[in-house]
Amino acid sequence: MASPRLLRSCLLATLSATLVAAAAMTPAQAEHRPESAQAVTFSDTFDGPAGSGVDSAKWQLETGDNVDNHERQYYTSGTDNAKLDGQGHLVIEARRENPGNYQCWYGTCEYTSARLNTSGKFTATYGHVEARMKIPRGQGIWPAFWMLGQDIGEVGWPNSGEIDVMENVGFEPSTVHGTIHGPGYSGSGGIGAAYTLPGGEAFADDFHTFAVDWAPDSITWSVDGNAYQTRTPADLGGNAWVFDKPFFLIMNLAVGGYWPGDPDGSTAFPQQLVVDEVKVTTSDG
C-alpha cells in the first residue's frame, strides 16, 4: 500500500454487520487451543513513556472519515487519539470533539478517533494472531481487531479477503463477533459467528485475548483460549477462499455506522480501546 490515504480509500468500505452462521461451535464444543512450540514473528507490548506515539516501524495511522459505513468519526494522525499510557498499553480514544475542524461525509465531524495498520511494515501468512484488549462500551461504539489481504490495492475489496478477529458493537456488551469476508460473502453476507461471555459479564470490565489460529484452508477463532468457530472452504458455498496469502493487521475504534447505530444520550465520551499486547506466532513445526 502506497500511503495511509490510499489505504483509506481502498479499505474504508469494510467493517460491516456480520452474519452469525449455523456452523458456529456450541459452548459444549468449545475447547482450549492446544499448546505447541511457537516462534514469535510480530510483537508489540506498547512499552514507552506516557503520551508517546506507537512504534512507527510497526504501525502507521490512517486518517479521514468513512462514508461507506456511515461512521461518524474522523481518524487523526499523531498522538491526538492514539498514544501510550506509560504502563505498557496503547490507548485508542474516541472523543466527542473536533478541534481540527475536520470535515466528514455528513458535514463537520462530531467525533475523532484512531485507526492503525501494519501494511508495508508487517504481514503474516498463517499463524496464531492475537490481541489482548479491554474494549469500551456504549451505544454507537465499534472497536475492532482485524486483517486485510496485502493485495487490496491490486484486487480491491472484498477480493483481497478480510479476517475480523474481533468486532464488538456497543449495544452488545457481552458479545464479540468473528467473521470472514471475500468475493460472494462480504458485508452483511460475511461468514462468522458470535461469542458471548457467561453470566452477563461485559467485555469492557476486563482485558480479554482475541485470537485466530490460521492455517491453509482453515481459520479458528477463540476468546481467552476458548475456540468458538472454525471456517474452511467448505463453508463458502463454492465461492473462492482468499486467505492463503499475506495479510496485514488493523486496530480501530469507530463511532456510529450502519451496524452499531449512532451514539445517543446514554453514550459517555471519551471511550477507550486499551491494547495490552498484539502478537503473531507461528508453530515451529
Side-chain angles (χ1 to χ4, degrees):
M1 317 316 295
S3 69
R5 179 66 61 180
L6 176 59
L7 281 167
R8 183 170 67 87
S9 65
C10 293
L11 309 184
L12 284 176
T14 55
L15 285 172
S16 50
T18 57
L19 183 66
V20 178
M25 294 182 180
T26 66
Q29 292 172 306
E31 60 184 18
H32 288 276
R33 180 176 59 89
E35 294 299 323
S36 60
Q38 302 284 313
V40 177
T41 61
F42 179 92
S43 177
D44 199 338
T45 54
F46 304 105
D47 297 315
S52 59
V54 292
D55 185 346
S56 61
K58 297 177 179 179
W59 302 97
Q60 61 182 338
L61 284 91
E62 299 179 41
T63 60
D65 66 342
N66 186 350
V67 61
D68 301 290
N69 286 335
H70 275 205
E71 297 167 18
R72 312 295 291 189
Q73 81 289 326
Y74 186 94
Y75 289 128
T76 68
S77 60
T79 57
D80 288 344
N81 296 87
K83 57 190 174 186
L84 307 185
D85 68 357
Q87 301 176 21
H89 305 119
L90 166 65
V91 179
I92 301 175
E93 187 167 86
R95 302 175 186 163
R96 183 186 280 130
E97 65 172 17
N98 185 0
N101 195 32
Y102 303 115
Q103 297 301 302
C104 287
W105 59 270
Y106 57 89
T108 301
C109 305
E110 300 171 354
Y111 307 90
T112 59
S113 190
R115 172 163 153 165
L116 301 83
N117 71 64
T118 67
S119 179
K121 301 174 184 290
F122 171 78
T123 61
T125 305
Y126 313 132
H128 178 79
V129 181
E130 70 173 38
R132 185 173 185 265
M133 301 172 155
K134 183 160 65 172
I135 68 174
R137 73 178 84 211
Q139 169 59 38
I141 304 303
W142 190 1
F145 173 54
W146 49 301
M147 297 187 283
L148 282 171
Q150 182 66 33
D151 61 356
I152 189 170
E154 291 74 51
V155 303
W157 185 89
N159 291 335
S160 61
E162 175 179 331
I163 303 170
D164 298 326
V165 182
M166 182 283 297
E167 292 182 277
N168 167 263
V169 285
F171 59 79
E172 297 178 332
S174 300
T175 299
V176 294
H177 299 260
T179 314
I180 50 174
H181 301 266
Y185 50 101
S186 62
S188 60
I191 297 171
Y195 178 90
T196 300
L197 288 171
E201 298 175 48
F203 278 102
D205 291 337
D206 204 351
F207 285 91
H208 294 272
T209 299
F210 308 99
V212 293
D213 283 284
W214 172 26
D217 292 340
S218 175
I219 304 172
T220 297
W221 284 255
S222 62
V223 175
D224 298 327
N226 300 302
Y228 68 95
Q229 70 166 329
T230 295
R231 297 295 165 184
T232 72
D235 294 306
L236 305 187
N239 290 309
W241 176 266
V242 290
F243 308 104
D244 295 322
K245 60 184 179 182
F247 276 63
F248 61 91
L249 312 177
I250 308 169
M251 298 186 293
N252 69 291
L253 177 54
V255 179
Y258 288 127
W259 189 16
D262 289 339
D264 60 21
S266 70
T267 312
F269 284 92
Q271 291 280 342
Q272 294 184 339
L273 172 60
V274 183
V275 187
D276 179 57
E277 182 178 19
V278 176
K279 183 169 62 175
V280 180
T281 55
T282 182
S283 172
D284 67 359

